[in-house]
Amino acid sequence: VQLVESGGGLVETGGSLRLSCTASGFTFDDYAILWFRQAPGKEREGVACISNSDGGTMYADSAKGRFIMSGDMAKNMVYLQMNSLKPEDTAVYYCAADRSKFSEQWGCLHPLAFDYWGQGTQVTVSS
């Protein structure tokens, strides 16, 4: 099982980036998928996820209205479109996958509940 992220980079405040995550060794169909990030000195933060319980998408408050998570199951890829980027979005972004069925109440924005993580891609937003 391997996850590989790409698409990070340096962008100015207000700019956009699209992150991609591809999987090998398994298909996303049966998995919950999460994008999370970690900035230096800060805890990991779940940003957006797709549940494998109901197929719904959840967003952290910090991402609502600016980030869009989507998937292309035919290509076995997921994406995170990030718009209106702010300096506080600067972090390493990871995708993660897990076969657990997360309840709607608890949600799927919990990085430590996911078994498989990618190596991450750096996103830097300049002010």
Side-chain angles (χ1 to χ4, degrees):
V1 174
Q2 187 176 15
L3 298 167
V4 179
E5 303 93 338
S6 61
L10 174 64
V11 64
E12 294 183 347
T13 296
S16 298
L17 283 173
R18 189 176 83 153
L19 306 183
S20 300
C21 175
T22 186
S24 59
F26 71 103
T27 59
F28 278 130
D29 289 1
D30 297 330
Y31 286 74
I33 310 161
L34 168 71
W35 282 102
F36 72 96
R37 65 189 182 186
Q38 188 165 26
K42 294 188 177 181
E43 294 187 356
R44 298 177 187 93
E45 177 191 17
V47 173
C49 62
I50 297 175
S51 168
N52 60 343
S53 296
D54 59 6
T57 306
M58 300 182 68
Y59 295 94
D61 288 344
S62 59
K64 287 178 182 176
R66 300 188 301 127
F67 293 3
I68 301 171
M69 182 175 180
S70 62
D72 186 338
M73 296 302 106
K75 295 181 179 179
N76 212 32
M77 293 189 70
V78 294
Y79 307 98
L80 185 68
Q81 177 68 42
M82 305 188 295
N83 302 318
S84 302
L85 283 162
K86 307 173 183 179
E88 51 263 44
D89 294 318
T90 295
V92 179
Y93 284 71
Y94 302 84
C95 70
D98 196 274
R99 296 193 69 172
S100 301
K101 301 286 188 181
F102 297 100
S103 69
E104 184 176 351
Q105 182 177 11
W106 194 67
C108 50
L109 290 171
H110 308 286
L112 295 181
F114 282 70
D115 282 341
Y116 305 110
W117 298 6
Q119 84 291 346
T121 185
Q122 176 70 46
V123 171
T124 303
V125 184
S126 62
S127 57

